[in-house]
């Protein structure tokens, strides 16, 4: 069971790396050596593929100004014109947003994150200032919930194509196995993925599978 769960996590990691902006991944695991091992593998993989792509952590309780952005008052006064201070969601454009303690995400923070995932843009309307910025992000949601009633909100979970559960895994033999895919493998898969044109039959099969898994939305 442990070996299977870890191997599944490795496969999901590779799939996420191939197309982070069109997949998204939730990782259920308590803070500890197993999650640290997984996190180290995924960050090393991304750094090897896209060393310049941003990797931003979205902490619990982040303010609206820090998350969305707003008017930079000091720079505005200095230059005599409105100057935008980008928030985390636009600063992470082209990269990955890691949502810490994602099971606690709710309210405006949840709404803004899911809106950016859907639109791939950040809309800022604050202090009489309006801006619409392109921002394609991949989302890595860290779920530290200990019980089923503490799981991710459906509004976020339904938007993430990949779900990994490392709670059955303990540090040891299973986690000694790393990714079976190199950075070169991921880059090759990305090129193939971008050129892929699915058939109507494939789309029907994928839709049937999705329904079979019983999503709530």
């Amino acid at each position: 069971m442990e070996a299977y769960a870890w191997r599944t996590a490795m496969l999901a990691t590779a799939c996420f790396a191939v197309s982070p902006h069109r997949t998204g991944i939730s990782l259920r695991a308590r803070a500890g050596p197993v999650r640290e091992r997984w996190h180290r593998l995924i960050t090393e993989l991304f750094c090897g593929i896209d060393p310049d792509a941003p990797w931003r952590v979205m902490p619990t309780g982040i303010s609206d100004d820090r998350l969305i952005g707003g008017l930079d008052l000091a720079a505005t006064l200095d230059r005599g014109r409105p100057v935008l201070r980008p928030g985390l969601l636009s600063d992470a454009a082209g990269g990955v947003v890691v949502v810490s303690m994602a099971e606690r995400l709710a309210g405006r923070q949840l709404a803004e994150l899911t809106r950016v995932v859907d639109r791939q843009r950040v809309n800022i309307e604050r202090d009489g200032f309006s801006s619409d910025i392109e921002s394609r992000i991949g989302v890595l949601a860290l779920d530290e919930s200990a019980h089923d009633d503490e799981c991710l909100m459906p509004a976020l979970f339904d938007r993430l194509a990949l779900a990994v559960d490392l709670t059955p895994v303990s540090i040891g033999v299973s986690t000694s196995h790393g990714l079976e895919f190199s950075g070169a493998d991921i880059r090759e898969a990305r090129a193939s993925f971008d050129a892929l044109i699915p058939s109507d039959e494939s789309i029907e099969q994928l839709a049937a599978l999705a329904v079979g898994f019983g999503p709530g939305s």
Side-chain angles (χ1 to χ4, degrees):
M1 180 63 180
E2 288 191 35
Y4 175 79
W6 183 255
R7 183 177 176 81
T8 301
M10 295 297 96
L11 181 59
T13 300
C15 291
F16 179 58
V18 170
S19 185
H21 309 133
R22 285 174 286 192
T23 53
I25 187 169
S26 68
L27 176 76
R28 187 171 188 180
R30 304 289 288 177
V34 174
R35 196 179 79 176
E36 288 301 315
R37 165 74 171 152
W38 182 86
H39 191 264
R40 184 167 61 253
L41 287 171
I42 193 172
T43 51
E44 288 174 354
L45 178 62
F46 269 81
C47 287
I49 301 170
D50 294 319
D52 297 325
W55 186 276
R56 301 289 184 265
V57 176
M58 178 179 168
T60 303
I62 186 172
S63 67
D64 286 351
D65 280 346
R66 181 69 191 94
L67 180 64
I68 308 166
L71 199 65
D72 188 325
L73 184 58
T76 296
L77 293 174
D78 182 59
R79 301 180 190 180
R81 58 178 176 80
V83 177
L84 173 68
R85 180 182 62 251
L88 183 145
L89 292 178
S90 54
D91 192 41
V96 173
V97 172
V98 181
V99 185
S100 300
M101 303 181 75
E103 75 280 3
R104 299 188 181 183
L105 191 66
R108 183 169 173 81
Q109 297 167 351
L110 176 64
E112 292 297 342
L113 178 62
T114 54
R115 185 179 295 115
V116 173
V117 171
D118 289 344
R119 298 182 62 242
Q120 299 185 358
R121 304 189 70 85
V122 178
N123 180 255
I124 305 171
E125 292 185 6
R126 299 178 65 83
D127 306 313
F129 183 85
S130 179
S131 181
D132 195 57
I133 306 170
E134 182 177 0
S135 183
R136 298 175 69 245
I137 60 171
V139 175
L140 166 53
L142 300 180
D143 179 1
E144 298 184 19
S145 57
H147 307 286
D148 290 340
D149 58 356
E150 297 176 331
C151 59
L152 298 185
M153 292 292 287
L156 176 59
F157 187 77
D158 286 355
R159 286 170 167 81
L160 306 179
L162 304 164
V164 173
D165 188 351
L166 292 181
T167 53
V169 181
S170 58
I171 199 73
V173 176
S174 298
T175 57
S176 64
H177 299 288
L179 288 164
E180 298 178 9
F181 306 94
S182 65
D185 294 329
I186 300 300
R187 283 189 289 269
E188 182 179 352
R190 283 184 176 184
S192 301
F193 185 84
D194 290 337
L196 183 65
I197 302 176
S199 66
D200 290 343
E201 182 182 0
S202 295
I203 293 174
E204 289 176 1
Q205 290 174 345
L206 290 170
L209 283 171
V211 172
F213 282 122
S217 66

